[in-house]
Amino acid sequence: MTAVLVAGGAGFIGAQTCKALSQAGYLPVTLDNLVTGYEAAVKWGPLIKADLRDREAILKAISDHKITSAIHFAAYSLVGESTKNPAKYYDNNVGAATAFASALVEGGVEAIVFSSTAAAYGIPTVTPIPEDHVLAPINPYGGSKIAFEQVLHWMGQAHPLRHTILRYFNAAGADPDGEIGESHDPETHLIPLICQAALGTGKPLTVFGTDYDTKDGTAVRDYIHVVDLAAAHVAAVKRLLDGGSSRIFNVGTGEGVTVKEMLTTAEKVLGRPVPHSYGPRREGDPQSLVADVKRIRAELDWEAKHSDLETLIRTAAAWQANKKY
Ligand SMILES: NC(=O)c1ccc[n+]([C@@H]2O[C@H](COP(=O)([O-])OP(=O)(O)OC[C@H]3O[C@@H](n4cnc5c(N)ncnc54)[C@H](O)[C@@H]3O)[C@@H](O)[C@H]2O)c1
């Protein structure tokens, strides 16, 4: 069985990807310091409790499991926190990540898939946003992600380390089997906040900004189901293991949804009201972020299959109502 080292495999997207890797016949070997992840989310392969900077643990994992490829999810990802503490974000998302990549090179690993983000584009000048759009992040989180993209670029020039960078748009939904799901603290993502408000387990939702130049005045995002995201990672690993060269892909649906549309659909799907109020725009929230997904469809033979609004909301709500961690 081909083993894949999954840094951050105890987190929301990492754990779902471990499940998908296992279903595709790979052994996911998780490396995670559990700073925001959960031991209970690691079910499809071994967990190595270690930091990205733990060179010895990484080299041992590579040798024990004959690792030839890695996926790197392990990062901090709270935009607001990053603006207050940029050093924390650069230290982990660039410094520790670079130490991880160096250990991979030392261990002879030649393929890495990296979780980047639509935050790399900043305020887009074109919608849908193609991968070659200018990179102009408006917060340190986005800055730290493109800094590590550059690290991978230059390490790929110096060493035989090929990369696939996946720039995700808004990850959402939960495992349809209810085994794993999103458990961020604090939770900042729209769909879990909607579900928590509807179920009464969280505060009423605040909709930030009603005066955007969109069809109903609220911000537009591209929501991608975590199962579809996980499938994109499996396809990306396979492509690199087959000898594919370094490449960057957006991962989204290509469809924009406003906050109000999500809210009204959630009320229909859940059959109950979502208590909410309206507030001013949040600083640094772009009006619209929608992916151009032509490249990933053509080159990874990947398509979003679970990202309709009903599936996103239904799976997320089921998880929120019956969280395992
Ligand atoms: N959730 C989204 O909508 C979204 C969108 C775009 C990009 N991303 C990126 O996807 C990745 C995964 O996001 P998520 O929502 O699953 O986050 P998460 O916080 O649930 O998972 C991150 C995991 O990495 C681990 N980790 C962090 N720093 C570490 C370190 N130094 N050493 C070892 N382990 C460490 C955490 O314990 C956690 O298990 C992140 O890199 C994030 O920036 C997420």
Side-chain angles (χ1 to χ4, degrees):
M1 200 186 257
T2 304
V4 180
L5 186 60
V6 184
F12 169 47
I13 307 166
Q16 196 73 50
T17 301
C18 287
K19 182 171 182 174
L21 284 167
S22 165
Q23 288 170 338
Y26 297 93
L27 175 70
V29 176
T30 291
L31 180 118
D32 201 301
N33 65 5
L34 302 179
V35 63
T36 57
Y38 298 87
E39 193 158 357
V42 184
K43 294 169 182 277
W44 291 278
L47 167 63
I48 299 160
K49 282 188 218 169
D51 191 85
L52 288 171
R53 296 188 203 259
D54 191 337
R55 189 176 140 275
E56 271 181 32
I58 297 161
L59 290 175
K60 183 171 184 318
I62 293 170
S63 137
D64 286 354
H65 298 282
K66 302 188 176 49
I67 299 282
T68 55
S69 66
I71 311 182
H72 172 43
F73 293 101
Y76 296 141
S77 52
L78 296 171
V79 170
E81 183 186 56
S82 81
T83 60
K84 294 191 182 79
N85 195 351
K88 176 177 175 181
Y89 276 70
Y90 278 85
D91 182 50
N92 199 40
N93 297 2
V94 188
T98 303
F100 176 63
S102 299
L104 294 182
V105 167
E106 192 178 339
V109 175
E110 297 189 354
I112 180 169
V113 178
F114 169 53
S115 308
S116 192
T117 168
Y121 300 116
I123 309 225
T125 54
V126 186
T127 299
I129 312 170
E131 286 87 350
D132 59 5
H133 186 281
V134 65
L135 300 178
I138 52 172
N139 53 61
Y141 165 64
S144 70
K145 286 285 173 173
I146 58 171
F148 189 64
E149 288 192 7
Q150 285 175 357
V151 170
L152 287 180
H153 168 76
W154 292 114
M155 286 186 75
Q157 305 293 305
H159 311 287
L161 182 67
R162 289 165 293 119
H163 61 257
T164 299
I165 290 167
L166 298 179
R167 292 190 186 134
Y168 322 155
F169 281 63
N170 284 51
D175 180 36
D177 307 322
E179 292 183 285
I180 45 180
E182 187 164 14
S183 215
H184 293 127
D185 181 20
E187 187 53 79
T188 56
H189 296 120
L190 179 65
I191 295 180
L193 291 176
I194 285 179
C195 295
Q196 290 169 2
L199 294 167
T201 54
K203 291 189 296 205
L205 182 81
T206 308
V207 177
F208 295 106
T210 52
D211 57 349
Y212 288 108
D213 185 16
T214 60
K215 57 177 143 178
D216 58 22
T218 62
V220 170
R221 295 289 181 270
D222 180 339
Y223 296 90
I224 179 81
H225 197 287
V226 65
V227 168
D228 286 332
L229 256 183
H233 288 80
V234 175
V237 165
K238 191 169 176 313
R239 180 182 156 280
L240 286 175
L241 289 176
D242 288 346
S245 54
S246 295
R247 199 76 170 124
I248 300 176
F249 298 101
N250 284 335
V251 198
T253 62
E255 301 290 333
V257 179
T258 69
V259 176
K260 262 193 196 161
E261 282 173 328
M262 190 64 87
L263 199 61
T264 15
T265 313
E267 291 187 325
K268 274 193 212 128
V269 172
L270 303 176
R272 51 171 97 192
V274 177
H276 64 277
S277 61
Y278 294 95
R281 292 183 188 198
R282 272 184 312 199
E283 204 184 326
D285 257 351
Q287 171 163 295
S288 173
L289 288 174
V290 179
D292 181 328
V293 287
K294 286 198 275 301
R295 185 185 288 180
I296 188 168
R297 281 186 181 151
E299 296 182 29
L300 276 193
D301 193 21
W302 171 94
E303 192 79 49
K305 293 183 180 149
H306 305 268
S307 298
D308 57 282
L309 296 194
E310 185 184 338
T311 306
L312 285 167
I313 294 161
R314 201 174 23 75
T315 54
W319 168 255
Q320 290 295 334
N322 191 20
K323 269 188 171 184
K324 307 272 192 299
Y325 48 85

